[in-house]
Amino acid sequence: MLKKEVILEGLDCANCAAKIEDEVNKLNGVKAYMNFMNKTLTLETESEQEYKNTLQQVETIVHKHEPDVVVKEKSVNKSNKKVLILEGLDCANCAAKIEAQTQSLEGVNSATVDFVSKKLTIEAVDKKEFGKILGEVTSIVNKLEPDVKIVDAEKKRVNKSIVMLEGLGCANCAAKMEKEISGLEGVEFAAVDFVSKKLTMEISPKVNRTELNEKIEGIVKKIEPDVKIVFEKDTSKANIKENNEEEEEGVNKKEIIRLVVGGAIFAVGIIFNFQNWLELTLFIISYIIVGGEVVLRAIKGIARGQVFSEHFLMSIATIGAFFVGEYPEGVAVMLFYLVGELFQDIAVGHSRKSISALMDIRPDYANLKVGDEIRKVSPEEVNIGDIIIVKPGEKVPLDGKVIEGNSMVDTAALTGESVPRELEPGNDALSGFINKNGVLTIEVTKDFGDSTVSKILDLVQNASSKKAPTEKFITKFARSYTPIVVFGALALAIIPPLVIPGATFSTWIYRALVFLVISCPCALVISIPLGFFGGIGGASKRGILVKGSNYLEALNNVETVVFDKTGTLTKGVFEVVNINSQIDFTNEELIEYAAFAESHSSHPIALSILKVYNKDVDITKIEDYEEIAGHGILAKVGGKEILAGNSKLMNKENIKYQEVETLGTIVHVAVDKKYAGNIVISDAVKEDSADAIKGLKALGVRNTVMLTGDSKAVGEKIATQLGIDKVYTELLPADKVEKIEDLDAKKSHKGKIVFVGDGINDAPVLARADIGMAMGGLGSDAAIEAADIVIMTDEPSKIVTAIKVAKRTRKIVMQNIVFALGVKAIFLALGAVGVATMWEAVFADMGVAIIAILNAMRIMNTKSI
């Protein structure tokens, strides 16, 4: 395939851009992709000759919609191109000014600013000019935005890397690893997700990867020696998943065997009345079987300077119990600690598997058609333009167009909707769909790495690397909390016997040991990230993709929700809403005449008329056809002259017509110079838009605002119909950004503004709002790239669902924080005064952790939201 870019100079209508892309895609042998922000149209054709023929047709289509746009072939010498990152750029209006002033500089061929990615792309006439150009660009940026820092993208570029930490079983240790790895030279960003056992990093391209990997391995082994490190290039994601599951099952079996054997010996020592030395021997044997590994880990940790770990706390507490003569309690605490650990691992594993199963949409293979042969290959091996076969029960492995076959497909994995949809030739088939009955033949339109399923998997799996403020606070809290409690326990063991008359060291040492057991921060360190992990998974299950737990938490403070109109609150599809025929004509005749007149047009208005006519138009009856620019159409059908168009056409032909006071587009029809009537066409409001506004008000959202480029009459009518508080009409894209900035200036300190758009032409506004939410993201690259939250369906009510998931997540997270800290505070006080024993301490530690984890897992429950 030959791929070339065409520049559409002066293109400023996003709606026209979408129409141009749609019409060009209908040309034979052409695939077209519009980038409205950069004003470029990418064309894919089979040959150079086809490209030249296509270019002429593209010019005709463009000028039909936008007469003033200049169509230019893009010829780029990569050595003459430079990308600069404008760090700190947050003003879309300033971005437009920077672009315009840079474009006017001498020696600059073209300049574009992408406000979303904060990139300024400059193409120079000659690369030797770049020194002078960069100096002038710096002056322009400093004048317009003094706080913006200009960075060369080649120097700034970072590489993303994922490392699997197989066997990671300590949440507190995961937090320590994250802190130390974040401090390494060359690491721009690092996040350890304890739930998925994944280390996500952004690394400077200049860093020596071998040396960095050695340092990472050193840090991980220092903190958790038994963790196996699997760097991304060493294995596939599928193998990692299988290995993790096998590893978890193997570890759980070993733990159970140890607990059964050690527990049996402990029970014998408790039940039977043996001599002291034999009883002590049984308890020591039981302790070594059950807790030997914990003590060994604690010793290794101390040797590496990692003193304040949960293994250290348990080892000191239980060994200390032996020294003060409480043998059974020493064994029992270790036994119940490991039982708690086992339940904790099972609970976390279950949660991980629930979300993995939810996102188990990655296809295992593709049926590639090569000649008359069908080969089963990896999806990564399939190229654009290849033909694949999808049989009933199989997943669609890559994005493509159906060229043969009809079938129902299950889209639940992508949209959360259980209602299947029908695919037929010409329809888009997205990776992740499950074929239900017929055989589909699909032409692949995207590589696997760019496919819908790949983007969604990457988005959901990496969402946990963007941590919520609550998660960050708990991680910092745990780092300080553990050492403070250890030194507190030390003070509790030493000071009271020295200052309280009659106090014994054995009594206060025992109390200090109880204090240590209670102090372990596991309940918080595990359950809080698990809560957000579950919240993101629960949202995904409903077809709502949240790019990070920080955005999920931010949804709790939404004050204002701002909507784009077309394609968000309305369907973005024109429909016939009224047919008004004159006395001598019926409504059926009026639609038939209009259908013949519009039969050669691909305009949305024409398509809406043809849809209502719902019959095949016999084009052989059309004797003559003329499109009158800006007016309408003249056609001769069966000896009759048909005029269909706006009031200007009627005036031009001196035809008396009926004035219509209504919202929408009016198509007037005349037959043989006699007025036949009019057809009213309007963009229909979505069925659940009104419910969405009501739901937002019920959740406490103070303001709902609608922004539209449509007329004041249309905008105000829809706003009144839906119950929207404020509407701004006749806006250009830049005006929408200004309105968002005005609303932002009026919000409270903690308040958040959500902007909801269709994700195609609203990228600047999505980026400027506190939370950008793209509607109808199914198959839309622009939506997935630009927004913080992507709603995969076209339902505004999903905004309400997203906020409900966020509120439920925060409620459960706060329950866990209050419960864990509250129980620990009570038992720490009881332990200090000698009321709580080791048995209560075990509940205050592992019991609380298990309850908190089980509570966090409730977020995945769909019925209660």
Side-chain angles (χ1 to χ4, degrees), residues 47-120:
S47 65
E48 184 69 35
Q49 185 57 47
E50 282 191 23
Y51 166 72
K52 288 178 180 177
N53 294 338
T54 300
L55 192 58
Q56 293 174 353
Q57 294 172 293
V58 167
E59 285 187 14
T60 303
I61 291 169
V62 169
H63 290 147
K64 182 174 79 171
H65 295 287
E66 283 276 45
D68 297 328
V69 167
V70 178
V71 181
K72 280 186 178 180
E73 290 185 77
K74 189 172 183 181
S75 176
V76 179
N77 181 347
K78 287 189 179 179
S79 63
N80 291 2
K81 195 173 182 180
K82 186 171 280 292
V83 179
L84 303 174
I85 298 173
L86 307 178
E87 290 186 351
L89 180 68
D90 59 5
C91 168
N93 199 25
C94 302
K97 290 177 182 176
I98 291 168
E99 179 180 304
Q101 291 186 28
T102 305
Q103 177 76 60
S104 65
L105 292 175
E106 189 180 345
V108 173
N109 221 3
S110 68
T112 55
V113 175
D114 184 345
F115 179 67
V116 178
S117 61
K118 297 178 172 44
K119 287 179 182 175
L120 166 60

Side-chain angles (χ1 to χ4, degrees), residues 794-826:
D794 280 327
E795 300 166 285
S797 57
K798 287 286 178 80
I799 304 163
V800 178
T801 306
I803 295 176
K804 283 183 178 178
V805 170
K807 286 184 179 294
R808 180 173 170 78
T809 301
R810 183 173 69 171
K811 182 180 176 183
I812 288 176
V813 164
M814 292 308 295
Q815 284 173 357
N816 282 346
I817 291 172
V818 172
F819 174 69
L821 290 179
V823 171
K824 283 184 182 290
I826 291 166

Side-chain angles (χ1 to χ4, degrees), residues 493-510:
I494 296 171
I495 296 172
L498 297 177
V499 298
I500 299 173
T504 61
F505 274 98
S506 61
T507 300
W508 285 96
I509 287 172
Y510 178 78

